[in-house]
Structures are given as structure tokens and as C-alpha cells.
């Protein structure tokens, strides 16, 4: 890839894909060693700073996600457009990533999943996987959240694993108060379902969106009509229901660029994580990787 980049192949790909937009996707940021545990989900703050320098070198027109979707729906040009999205609402976003974006005056959309954010507890399934990765001997999973929480914390403490960080504990989502303050400073807050799932049953899906939206709009004071599919999973058969619920756009985890052939409820993104080598990010940003994937699909 370095050779191709040096030969100008990436620059040519950029030219060929100049009329397609890029939507970048990030998740959490590390206080300790979370990036070593889940490099697709957590990134070192220093890596993120390098990423922003790398992105800046392209001279993209960084716009709010809503502006990108507006242009898409109005069939306006998407030339040179890029938008930042961050999923879930891990506390490390507000601590490490948001200030760096604000320094550059780059807007960002945060897709907040509200169940754990309102409970004031770490995301238990991720905490369990982390402790297992740390080699901690764990209790049998409890059905009750409070019992599961207490069991995991007890096991961590017995094994000498420190879960404290400058914002409380590892694997927590930003509190409603913290998120409301960020929104008052201009953060765009959007939908990611209440319990981080997209049920197949219409009534349950409606409840997931409605509950998530009620909390989010209460915190931001602005409409929340843009969704990110939790874990990237969705069914096209549910698009009519999502439209009825007022969802104007939805982002996936398909690696692609956004062009006028895209459905607003199926917007692809470029996923960045600690697992990506900088040259791989260049391959994605330039459009080179997308062109290769298109050629392969045709083949
Ligand atoms: Zn998520």
C-alpha cells in the first residue's frame, strides 16, 4: 500500500471518487489499555490526534452529518465532503476526542445509546469481556444487572485490576448531565437505540427508538431524527417503519463512500480504530480501498 501511495495510485483514487462523501466512524478512546483489549472499539488519544492531522492533510470540507444527508436528499454535490460520527457515548469521547475536534472547528455527531448512560453503570458485557481478557476469574453471569455489576467489580478487585479512571470507571457512558452540557456547547446528539439493539418486532423497535429519542431530545433540546444501527445490524424490511418513525437517515458499518445511489437509511461509513495502520486509513480516505472493493464485487 505504501508503494501504491508513493506511485500516486491513492491520489488517482481520490480524483476518481472526488464526488463521493466520506462518513468517518469512531467509538471509544482509551484511559488505560482498552485499545489493546478491543482495538476496533477503543483508540489511544494520541492515535486520534495523529488521525486528525492525517485527515486535515486532505483538505476535506468537514460538515455536520445533517448537512451531508441534506445534500444527499436534495441531490446536491457531495464533492470533497466529510462528516465525523462517534457511536455509543463512551466517556473517553468527551474527555479525549471532542476537544481535539473542537480545536479544529470540526463538527461531530454522537449517536448515544441511552440505557447504560442513564444507569450510571459500566456497559456490563464489555466489562465482562475485558476482565476475561485480563485473565480475571469471573463469576457465572447473573441475570440481574446489579448482581452482575457487583460480581464483576468484586472479581476485578480480588484480581487487583483497577477499573478507575479520571471520569469514574472504565467502560462507562457519559452521564445525562455531562451529555446535556456538551449539547449546550453545540454537540449534535442522535439516535442509537435505548438498549443498543434493533428488534425484529415492530412494537419493540418502535419502543427502542421512542425511548432513545425521548431521552436524547430531553438532553439536547433539538430533534433527533438520525439513527446509527447498533452493531451495524438492520433489516431493509423495517425501512418503512423507520420512515414512519421519522428517521431521516441511518448509518451502517458497511465500508464504502456515500454517493447519490445510496439510500438515506443505509449510509456506509469508514470505520477507524487502533487496529488500522495509517496507510490503511489513507487507502480508505482516498477512496482506493472502495474502488478495490467495487472491482472485487464485480469480479
Ligand atoms: Zn454502538
Amino acid at each position: 500500500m505504501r508503494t501504491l501511495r508513493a506511485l500516486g495510485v491513492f491520489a488517482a483514487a481520490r480524483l476518481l471518487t472526488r464526488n463521493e462523501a466520506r462518513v468517518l466512524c469512531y467509538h471509544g478512546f482509551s484511559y488505560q489499555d482498552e485499545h489493546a483489549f478491543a482495538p476496533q472499539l477503543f483508540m489511544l488519544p494520541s492515535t486520534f490526534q495523529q488521525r486528525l492531522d492525517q485527515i486535515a492533510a486532505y483538505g476535506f470540507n468537514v460538515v455536520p452529518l445533517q448537512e451531508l444527508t441534506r445534500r444527499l436528499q436534495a441531490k446536491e454535490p457531495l464533492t470533497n465532503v466529510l462528516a465525523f460520527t462517534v457511536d455509543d457515548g463512551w466517556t473517553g469521547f468527551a474527555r479525549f476526542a471532542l476537544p481535539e475536534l473542537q480545536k479544529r472547528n470540526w463538527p461531530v455527531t454522537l449517536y448515544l445509546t441511552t440505557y447504560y448512560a442513564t444507569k450510571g453503570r459500566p456497559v456490563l458485557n464489555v466489562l465482562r469481556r475485558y476482565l476475561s481478557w485480563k485473565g480475571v476469574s469471573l463469576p457465572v453471569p447473573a441475570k440481574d444487572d446489579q448482581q452482575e455489576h457487583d460480581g464483576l467489580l468484586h472479581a476485578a478487585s480480588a484480581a487487583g485490576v483497577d477499573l478507575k479512571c479520571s471520569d469514574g470507571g472504565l467502560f462507562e457512558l457519559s452521564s445525562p448531565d455531562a451529555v446535556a452540557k456538551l449539547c449546550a456547547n453545540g454537540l449534535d446528539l442522535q439516535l442509537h437505540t435505548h438498549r443498543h439493539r434493533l428488534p425484529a418486532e415492530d412494537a419493540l423497535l418502535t419502543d427502542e427508538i421512542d425511548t432513545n429519542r425521548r431521552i436524547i431530545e430531553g438532553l439536547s433540546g433539538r430533534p433527533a431524527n438520525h439513527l446509527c444501527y447498533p452493531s451495524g445490524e438492520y433489516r431493509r424490511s423495517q425501512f418503512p417503519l423507520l420512515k414512519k418513525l421519522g428517521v431521516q437517515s441511518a448509518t451502517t458499518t458497511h465500508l464504502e463512500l456515500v454517493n447519490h445511489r445510496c439510500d438515506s437509511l443505509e449510509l456506509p461509513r469508514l470505520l477507524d480504530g487502533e487496529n488500522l495502520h495509517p496507510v490503511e486509513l489513507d487507502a480508505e480516505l482516498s477512496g482506493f480501498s472502495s474502488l478495490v472493493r467495487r472491482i472485487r464485487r464485480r469480479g
Side-chain angles (χ1 to χ4, degrees), residues 40-98:
Q40 289 169 313
L41 202 56
F42 294 94
M43 180 180 265
L44 274 169
S46 58
T47 305
F48 186 65
Q49 283 189 15
Q50 289 160 17
R51 297 301 214 234
L52 295 190
D53 289 340
Q54 199 179 338
I55 294 161
Y58 279 81
F60 284 114
N61 176 20
V62 181
V63 302
L65 177 79
Q66 297 202 30
E67 170 61 12
L68 186 152
T69 57
R70 189 198 64 75
R71 289 188 193 198
L72 180 70
Q73 283 157 358
K75 300 261 188 283
E76 287 178 18
L78 297 168
T79 312
N80 211 29
V81 162
L82 179 142
F84 281 93
T85 63
V86 177
D87 297 7
D88 303 328
W90 304 98
T91 52
F93 162 70
R95 165 73 55 183
F96 304 115
L98 184 59

Side-chain angles (χ1 to χ4, degrees), residues 77-121:
L78 297 168
T79 312
N80 211 29
V81 162
L82 179 142
F84 281 93
T85 63
V86 177
D87 297 7
D88 303 328
W90 304 98
T91 52
F93 162 70
R95 165 73 55 183
F96 304 115
L98 184 59
E100 294 301 322
L101 290 161
Q102 285 170 333
K103 268 186 215 162
R104 295 173 187 270
N105 272 323
W106 282 353
V108 58
T109 290
L110 177 66
Y111 292 116
L112 183 70
T113 183
T114 37
Y115 176 78
Y116 280 112
T118 51
K119 288 282 177 224
R121 258 191 216 122

Side-chain angles (χ1 to χ4, degrees), residues 112-259:
L112 183 70
T113 183
T114 37
Y115 176 78
Y116 280 112
T118 51
K119 288 282 177 224
R121 258 191 216 122
V123 178
L124 296 175
N125 58 343
V126 177
L127 176 60
R128 174 171 275 277
R129 288 208 317 266
Y130 174 74
L131 291 174
S132 165
W133 174 77
K134 288 288 243 185
V136 174
S137 85
L138 295 170
V140 179
K143 285 211 174 93
D144 175 75
D145 269 3
Q146 187 64 50
Q147 275 176 23
E148 172 73 355
H149 179 237
D150 295 348
L152 292 176
L153 258 53
H154 185 261
S157 141
V161 173
D162 186 7
L163 294 171
K164 285 199 193 69
C165 71
S166 48
D167 290 303
L170 298 185
F171 307 109
E172 287 179 9
L173 303 184
S174 291
S175 70
D177 281 356
V179 173
K181 276 188 197 129
L182 299 177
C183 291
N185 282 321
L187 176 69
D188 179 37
L189 195 65
Q190 297 294 337
L191 308 167
H192 198 33
T193 74
H194 185 53
R195 283 178 168 266
H196 205 265
R197 62 188 180 199
L198 210 72
E201 299 81 7
D202 285 0
L204 293 178
L205 172 59
T206 303
D207 185 53
E208 279 294 338
I209 302 280
D210 282 352
T211 307
N212 189 221
R213 176 182 270 149
R214 184 169 39 77
I215 297 170
I216 282 176
E217 291 184 347
L219 296 174
S220 70
R222 293 187 290 269
N225 297 322
H226 300 269
L227 171 71
C228 168
Y229 297 116
S231 311
E233 289 165 11
Y234 63 96
R235 295 164 201 83
R236 283 186 177 150
S237 58
Q238 290 182 310
F239 284 4
L241 175 60
L242 290 175
K243 280 187 187 143
K244 210 174 107 193
L245 293 170
V247 174
Q248 293 171 9
S249 83
T251 48
T252 67
T253 49
H254 290 313
L255 297 175
E256 253 303 344
L257 309 179
V258 176
N259 57 46

